[in-house]
């Protein structure tokens, strides 16, 4: 069964003459337990797709299904127990006056966990921060440390589906490796499903089985990672993307 | 050739519940008319180094140094007023988080045109035209529409490029770019790097390029400082990054996932306490 199924999804901002469509008739589905990558140009609508699934944008048409059930306009709390999102922008997504302890504690309480103390320590360990960070405020953390708090918060309710928007682009490669290994382990242990946006094709190739390529609001190509490695893409934009990233690595 | 910047024994320290925390522990480096890369793991002190140069470390953080010379100015004793002038004209910093640094209640267009009109005598209409040109230069599609958007209405990569466009307005001699392309896809990344490259080669700007993308830094920069726990553990010519000697640098290089060479598991660093105990390597020229 598909964990996520999007068909003909259009998402727009503004009304009337001001309307601009950020996502245009996008369709794809992600199997349960699969890790699916969304790549493409900056501004092509990748974050918008994830935000629409999360219920953060009202202006959309088409159908979105979760585990075979259509999503409506509102999201229940049970949705957020099953589906969590890691935002592209870790600054905007953490409350500036809440400590790490409070951020994680509140999520855990909201989802009915009781052994909160132990869970906070475990989560901080999992993302490689450790207890020392528990009482820090966001402005006392480096960019990568903030992103790890955001990842810990998303993992806190033990979701089945995780929407990851550039989860490691603020991280250095060593922490990135730790986080990607953690995500792989969680997927193997708990059968999680990932829908992951990244502009780093190395990361996508490592994590995902299949990808969708977006350009100007449209999905221009779907391909699997084997095709991606062989650089056998049909669409000129995909080819351009693959070429430039292979070139970037080779020149080094 | 004289350096644009000479920094000796720079320290940045914060008081915390568990006593002092030293984010930067006595580093020395200079910047010429070059592309100087700074890499290193998260929390190693890259951003604090950049911010310290422009005296942007907020209280209760403390900055000390034996020398902090920018041209004729001794940054250690420069007044707030002098610093504001320096930040406006001589040195700019592209912050790691662009949206955080943009004004949330002003449209993109208003912010860029305002930056232009405070820096030069220019009519509103011309400022608007220039602003659109600048957005176009950083490869933003449909710049006219983007002018009217507010920061929360632009994508991650668009926000990053808007910041870049704004920081280039004063035509700075020194540009500190903190992860300027981390949210950009490869093709847009190339256009942004080209702009910075031209500023260095044509106008002799000095660029400090903070990034965790090792491949990118080794291609784009001239010299690289590798930071660990607030110190410089290694300095190398950018093109020779792959011949680096320090086990930490080698560890970083090995943890990069590569599309063409898949591995079931990525290598992670095994940190050696000796790395942070060793004295900082000097990158003065
Ligand atoms: N709240 C909003 N109001 C108006 N336009 C918006 C809003 N949010 C996003 N957009 C527009 O939708 C388009 C797609 O944005 P989105 O954030 O989905 O891009 P993206 O593919 O994630 O790009 P990036 O890789 O740069 O993060 C952009 O043109 C953006 O300006
Ligand atoms: N206000 C503060 N109080 C205490 N510690 C702080 C404060 N600000 C920063 N730090 C610490 O200083 C260290 C260096 O931070 P810095 O932002 O320079 O890291 P960075 O190398 O830029 O990392 P990243 O790649 O994650 O952005 C981090 O360990 C951070 O937690
Ligand atoms: Mg995005
Ligand atoms: Mg930083």
């Amino acid at each position: 069964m598909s964990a996520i199924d999007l068909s003909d999804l259009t998402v727009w901002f503004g009304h009337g003459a001001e309307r601009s469509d950020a996502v245009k008739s996008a369709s794809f589905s992600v199997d349960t337990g699969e890790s699916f990558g969304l790549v493409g140009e900056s501004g092509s609508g990748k974050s918008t797709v994830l935000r629409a699934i999360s219920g953060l944008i009202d202006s959309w048409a088409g159908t979105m299904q979760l585990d075979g059930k259509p999503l409506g306009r509102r999201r229940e709390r049970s949705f957020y127990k099953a589906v969590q999102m890691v935002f592209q922008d870790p600054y905007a997504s953490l409350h500036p006056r809440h400590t790490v302890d409070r951020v994680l504690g509140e999520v855990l309480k909201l989802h009915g966990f009781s052994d909160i103390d132990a869970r906070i320590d475990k989560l901080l360990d999992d993302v490689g921060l450790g207890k020392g960070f528990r009482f820090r405020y966001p402005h006392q953390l480096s960019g990568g440390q903030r992103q790890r708090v955001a990842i810990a918060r998303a993992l806190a309710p033990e979701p089945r589906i995780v929407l990851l928007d550039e989860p490691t682009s603020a991280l250095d490669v060593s922490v990135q490796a730790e986080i990607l290994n953690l995500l792989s382990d969680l997927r193997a242990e708990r059968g999680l499903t990932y829908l992951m946006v990244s502009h780093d094709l190395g990361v996508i190739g490592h994590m995902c089985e299949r990808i969708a390529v977006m350009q100007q609001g449209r999905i221009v190509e779907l391909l699997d990672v084997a095709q991606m490695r062989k650089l056998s893409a049909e669409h000129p934009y995909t080819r351009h993307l693959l070429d430039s990233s292979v070139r970037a690595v080779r020149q080094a | 050739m004289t350096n644009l910047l000479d920094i000796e024994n720079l320290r940045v320290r914060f008081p915390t519940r568990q006593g002092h925390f030293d984010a930067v522990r006595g580093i020395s480096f200079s910047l010429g008319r070059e592309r100087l890369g700074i890499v290193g793991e998260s929390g190693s002190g890259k951003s604090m180094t950049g911010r310290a140069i422009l005296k942007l470390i907020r209280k209760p953080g403390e900055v000390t140094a034996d020398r902090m010379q920018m041209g004729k100015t001794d940054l250690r004793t420069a007044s707030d007023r002098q610093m504001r002038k320096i930040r406006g004209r001589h040195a700019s910093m592209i912050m790691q988080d662009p949206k955080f640094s943009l004004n949330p209640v002003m449209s993109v267009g208003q912010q860029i045109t305002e930056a232009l009109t405070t820096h030069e005598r220019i009519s509103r209409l011309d400022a608007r035209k220039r602003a659109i040109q600048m957005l176009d230069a950083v490869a933003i599609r449909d710049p006219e529409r983007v002018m009217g958007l507010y920061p929360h209405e632009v994508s991650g990569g668009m926000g990053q490029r808007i910041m870049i466009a704004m920081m280039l307005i004063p035509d700075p001699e020194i540009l500190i770019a903190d992860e300027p392309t981390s949210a950009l896809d490869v093709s847009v990344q190339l256009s942004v790097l080209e702009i910075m490259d031209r500023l260095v080669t044509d106008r002799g700007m000095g660029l400090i390029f903070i990034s965790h993308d090792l491949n990118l830094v080794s291609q784009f920069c001239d010299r690289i400082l590798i930071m660990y726990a607030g110190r410089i553990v290694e300095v190398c010519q950018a093109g020779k990054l792959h011949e680096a000697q320090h086990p930490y640098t080698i560890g970083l290089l090995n943890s990069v996932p590569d599309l063409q060479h898949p591995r079931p598991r990525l290598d992670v660093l095994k940190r050696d306490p000796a790395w942070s105990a060793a004295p900082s390597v000097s990158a003065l020229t």
Side-chain angles (χ1 to χ4, degrees), chain A residues 43 45-48 88 165-166 197, chain B residues 155-157 183:
Chain A
K46 304 179 297 294
S47 298
T48 303
Q88 183 168 9
D165 197 353
E166 302 276 9
V197 173
Chain B
S155 78

Side-chain angles (χ1 to χ4, degrees), chain A residues 41-43 88-89 91 142 144 148 169 171-174 176-177 181 185 199 206 216 228-229 240 248 251-252, chain B residues 41-43 97 141 155-157 161 182 184-185 187 212 215 219 252 257 259-260 262-263 265-267 269:
Chain A
E41 256 185 348
S42 171
Q88 183 168 9
D89 194 355
Y91 292 72
S142 77
R148 282 183 274 172
S169 73
L171 302 179
D172 71 275
V173 288
S174 65
Q176 167 171 285
N181 286 342
D185 291 345
H199 59 85
H206 180 72
Q216 297 189 62
M228 204 166 117
R229 288 216 172 88
H240 170 66
Q251 274 174 9
Chain B
E41 66 176 356
S42 173
D97 187 66
R141 275 184 198 275
S155 78
R161 283 174 284 160
S182 64
L184 304 179
D185 62 85
S187 60
H212 52 84
N215 285 317
Q219 280 169 61
L252 287 179
L259 183 60
Q260 300 300 321
R263 288 172 284 177
R265 230 181 148 67
L266 297 169
D267 295 350
L269 276 179

Side-chain angles (χ1 to χ4, degrees), chain A residues 116-149:
Chain A
I116 293 191
D117 245 29
R119 278 181 183 266
I120 292 177
D121 285 345
K122 170 83 168 58
L123 284 165
L124 289 176
D125 261 355
D126 282 347
V127 295
L129 284 176
K131 298 178 191 59
F133 286 86
R134 193 161 161 180
F135 295 99
R136 293 233 194 151
Y137 290 92
H139 74 270
Q140 297 172 320
L141 301 171
S142 77
Q145 289 163 348
R146 258 178 259 218
Q147 180 67 328
R148 282 183 274 172
V149 173

Side-chain angles (χ1 to χ4, degrees), chain A residues 20 40-44 46-47 51 88-92 99 132 135-136 139-146 148 166 168-178 180-182 184-185 199-206 215-216 225 228-231 237 240-242 244-252, chain B residues 15-18 21 40-44 46-48 58-60 96-100 139 141 145 152-153 155-159 161 179 181-190 212-216 218-219 239 242 248 251-253 255-269 271:
Chain A
S20 80
E41 256 185 348
S42 171
S44 61
K46 304 179 297 294
S47 298
R51 293 166 59 87
Q88 183 168 9
D89 194 355
Y91 292 72
T99 59
F135 295 99
R136 293 233 194 151
H139 74 270
Q140 297 172 320
L141 301 171
S142 77
Q145 289 163 348
R146 258 178 259 218
R148 282 183 274 172
E166 302 276 9
T168 61
S169 73
L171 302 179
D172 71 275
V173 288
S174 65
V175 177
Q176 167 171 285
E178 286 166 24
L180 295 182
N181 286 342
L182 169 71
S184 305
D185 291 345
H199 59 85
D200 185 330
L201 296 185
V203 169
I204 291 284
H206 180 72
Q215 188 188 26
Q216 297 189 62
V225 163
M228 204 166 117
R229 288 216 172 88
K230 277 185 285 177
L231 308 180
Y237 177 69
H240 170 66
L241 205 63
L242 290 171
S244 9
S245 81
V246 169
R247 206 169 341 112
V249 175
R250 290 243 173 89
Q251 274 174 9
Chain B
T16 66
R17 288 189 180 199
Q18 297 92 9
F21 177 79
E41 66 176 356
S42 173
S44 57
K46 305 181 297 295
S47 298
M48 292 304 143
R58 280 190 223 105
K59 290 254 172 304
Q96 186 166 6
D97 187 66
K99 285 203 199 167
F100 200 63
R141 275 184 198 275
R145 179 181 71 90
H152 73 275
E153 298 175 329
S155 78
M158 287 157 73
R161 283 174 284 160
E179 305 277 5
T181 62
S182 64
L184 304 179
D185 62 85
V186 271
S187 60
V188 172
Q189 198 171 61
L190 282 180
H212 52 84
D213 188 334
L214 299 168
N215 285 317
L216 179 73
S218 75
Q219 280 169 61
H242 287 258
Y248 168 65
L252 287 179
L253 288 166
S255 48
V256 181
D258 177 350
L259 183 60
Q260 300 300 321
H261 303 97
R263 288 172 284 177
R265 230 181 148 67
L266 297 169
D267 295 350
V268 297
L269 276 179
R271 293 171 183 77

